[in-house]
Amino acid sequence: MTVTPPIAPEAMPIPRKPVEADRQNLVGLTRPQLRAALVAAGTPEKQAKMREVQLWQWIYQKGVRDFDAMTNLAKDYRARLKEHFVIEVPEIVTRTVSADGTRKYLVRIAGGHEVEVVYIPEEDRGTLCISSQVGCTLTCTFCHTGTQRLVRNLTAGEIVGQIMLARDDLGEWPELGRHPKDETRLISNLVLMGMGEPLYNFNSVRDAMQIAMDGEGISLSRRRITLSTCGVVPEIARTGAEIGCMLAISLHATTDDLRNKLVPINRKYPIAQLFDALRAYPKLSNSERITFEYVMLKGINDSDADARRLVKLIEGIPAKINLIPFNEWPGAPYERSDWDRIESFANIVYKAGYASPIRTPRGEDIMAACGQLKSATERSRKNRFQIAAEAGLPEPERIVRRPNAPDVH
Ligand code: SAH
């Protein structure tokens, strides 16, 4: 089944809403938290479970934001809810649609910070790529988001809210009593591959994913959710136990020497430790493989020898290798590997028995591709000289600026 949302290249500013400060937002509360909040607002204990279920369905199954529309609640109870609570998702500031149909949302959260959310329609699925932090602390040297300083962790409501606002924009809230199949849903898959390191914001990510998986709500299967991590080893076991979703690892290098440079967290959790944690990940099987992401950087990590080392490393782990042609960004100290190099690398991995798809860059024209996300307010915190120095690379060529030329970073 092909999913086809309306396509039109555009950048659309969306009017701002006033911020609510004094009423609690119900979005993002776990079921027990929701029930406790309802009781604290005067809901009799005996009714609390029923009210929790009713509100949960209105919010997550039907996409309703207005208490007045909750027709199975008495009028005075709705008024009470309105006094204490709001149902709010982050605000879409702009929506940009790529020529290939990819949509990028710039989203504003409390405090005026911004994150990006990307929707990628494909033949047989629609994937929503969501963010877990504003910025990122990891400083991976090839990643644009990594040049932005962390501002803060997102709350569970801000994380699950990204799914809800995309559903609003795509017009995807089901009609009452309709339960579309996963394959025909516009948002059929979720990837935590936007801005931030999800395992550095574990509790909020877990709570948000539990809401996303809840059968009485957004109802996405855990097998359609992929959490991507650079390898925060102590949290990997917790991910298996407390979320149970699919795992993707940003590997990008096969020796500690190189990975220390590309993915600096490797200095804390080196490759051997990472692989011990992966071998212990629950439910690993051919149908539940670990995805290894591997960015193809020209002359850095893309040789045949790298490919062979990679195959050795993953031996015995049900795995898929996702090769990501490097996406360029202004001032990036790397180049994308040539196509025949990527294919030769992919072939070695494939011949060793692993799927080795090459990820087609999506939404490049709108800077929505992997590693390109970065909120406009935070651009150019670091310049390309600092980035190159941190990556241990030669100083980039200096650009002579004409008077009045825009800043180049
Ligand atoms: N912090 C998490 C989630 C980010 S996922 C993680 O590290 O996994 C984003 C993916 O895109 C990661 O695999 C990241 O390493 C990769 N990536 C970052 N910058 C990139 C770039 N410029 N080109 C291609 N892939 C990139």
Side-chain angles (χ1 to χ4, degrees), residues 223-259:
R223 295 175 57 167
R224 287 181 173 266
I225 299 178
T226 303
L227 181 151
S228 176
T229 176
C230 60
V232 186
V233 166
E235 307 292 352
I236 288 179
R238 277 184 85 195
T239 306
E242 298 177 38
I243 307 177
C245 61
M246 309 302 285
L247 202 58
I249 302 293
S250 294
L251 188 62
H252 308 313
T254 54
T255 63
D256 280 324
D257 250 8
L258 182 60
R259 197 162 189 269

Side-chain angles (χ1 to χ4, degrees), residues 129 132-133 136 138 140 142-145 192-198 227-231 248-252 263 293-297 324-329 332 336 359 369-372:
C129 177
S132 55
Q133 298 181 307
C136 192
L138 294 173
C140 300
F142 51 86
C143 179
H144 199 201
T145 313
L192 280 146
M193 295 188 185
M195 294 164 68
E197 168 48 50
L227 181 151
S228 176
T229 176
C230 60
I249 302 293
S250 294
L251 188 62
H252 308 313
V263 186
E293 294 156 286
Y294 196 97
V295 63
M296 299 300 292
L297 305 171
I324 317 176
F326 173 61
N327 293 310
E328 310 216 338
W329 39 272
R336 179 181 291 182
R359 193 183 283 175
C370 308
Q372 292 184 318

Side-chain angles (χ1 to χ4, degrees), residues 294-359:
Y294 196 97
V295 63
M296 299 300 292
L297 305 171
K298 190 175 193 164
I300 304 275
N301 65 353
D302 61 352
S303 69
D304 286 354
D306 286 304
R308 283 190 289 267
R309 258 196 309 270
L310 174 59
V311 167
K312 262 222 145 103
L313 259 184
I314 59 178
E315 204 178 345
I317 299 182
K320 170 172 115 182
I321 317 300
N322 213 325
L323 298 174
I324 317 176
F326 173 61
N327 293 310
E328 310 216 338
W329 39 272
Y334 301 105
E335 282 174 78
R336 179 181 291 182
S337 305
D338 294 332
W339 197 251
D340 54 350
R341 184 86 302 274
I342 300 179
E343 282 192 330
S344 160
F345 193 107
N347 249 327
I348 294 173
V349 177
Y350 180 74
K351 283 201 182 122
Y354 300 94
S356 56
I358 301 170
R359 193 183 283 175

Side-chain angles (χ1 to χ4, degrees), residues 222-223 239-241 243-246 278-290 318:
R222 64 172 186 84
R223 295 175 57 167
T239 306
I243 307 177
C245 61
M246 309 302 285
L278 298 181
R279 285 177 208 281
Y281 198 71
K283 300 205 186 75
L284 273 189
S285 69
N286 264 337
S287 61
E288 297 203 15
R289 292 173 290 178
I290 288 182

Side-chain angles (χ1 to χ4, degrees), residues 52-203:
E52 168 212 309
V53 171
Q54 287 171 320
L55 276 152
W56 191 270
Q57 291 177 337
W58 283 117
I59 298 172
Y60 297 115
Q61 202 163 57
K62 299 167 190 146
V64 166
R65 306 282 148 75
D66 179 358
F67 292 107
D68 286 331
M70 301 184 177
T71 44
N72 58 356
L73 302 179
K75 264 207 172 133
D76 55 343
Y77 187 59
R78 284 186 242 161
R80 175 186 290 272
L81 292 174
K82 258 205 304 206
E83 245 172 67
H84 290 87
F85 304 116
V86 287
I87 302 168
E88 268 190 355
V89 301
E91 177 188 358
I92 299 180
V93 182
T94 54
R95 178 186 72 192
T96 317
V97 184
S98 157
D100 70 14
T102 301
R103 289 174 179 225
K104 182 168 84 169
Y105 305 101
L106 179 67
V107 164
R108 189 176 289 127
I109 55 172
H113 303 306
E114 289 165 348
V115 292
E116 290 177 327
V117 182
V118 180
Y119 174 68
I120 309 149
E122 288 178 273
E123 275 295 303
D124 55 347
R125 70 178 116 177
T127 303
L128 191 72
C129 177
I130 60 174
S131 294
S132 55
Q133 298 181 307
V134 178
C136 192
T137 52
L138 294 173
T139 65
C140 300
T141 48
F142 51 86
C143 179
H144 199 201
T145 313
T147 65
Q148 170 178 341
R149 276 201 221 126
L150 173 71
V151 179
R152 72 165 169 86
N153 279 340
L154 299 192
T155 63
E158 288 161 346
I159 297 170
V160 76
Q162 294 171 56
I163 310 171
M164 297 164 73
L165 65 85
R167 280 193 128 184
D168 291 347
D169 185 60
L170 295 165
E172 210 206 358
W173 292 101
E175 287 153 37
L176 283 184
R178 213 178 123 244
H179 294 285
K181 287 198 184 119
D182 282 345
E183 309 73 77
T184 58
R185 286 168 64 157
L186 290 175
I187 299 175
S188 63
N189 292 62
L190 201 62
V191 294
L192 280 146
M193 295 188 185
M195 294 164 68
E197 168 48 50
L199 296 190
Y200 276 160
N201 186 14
F202 186 86
N203 291 349

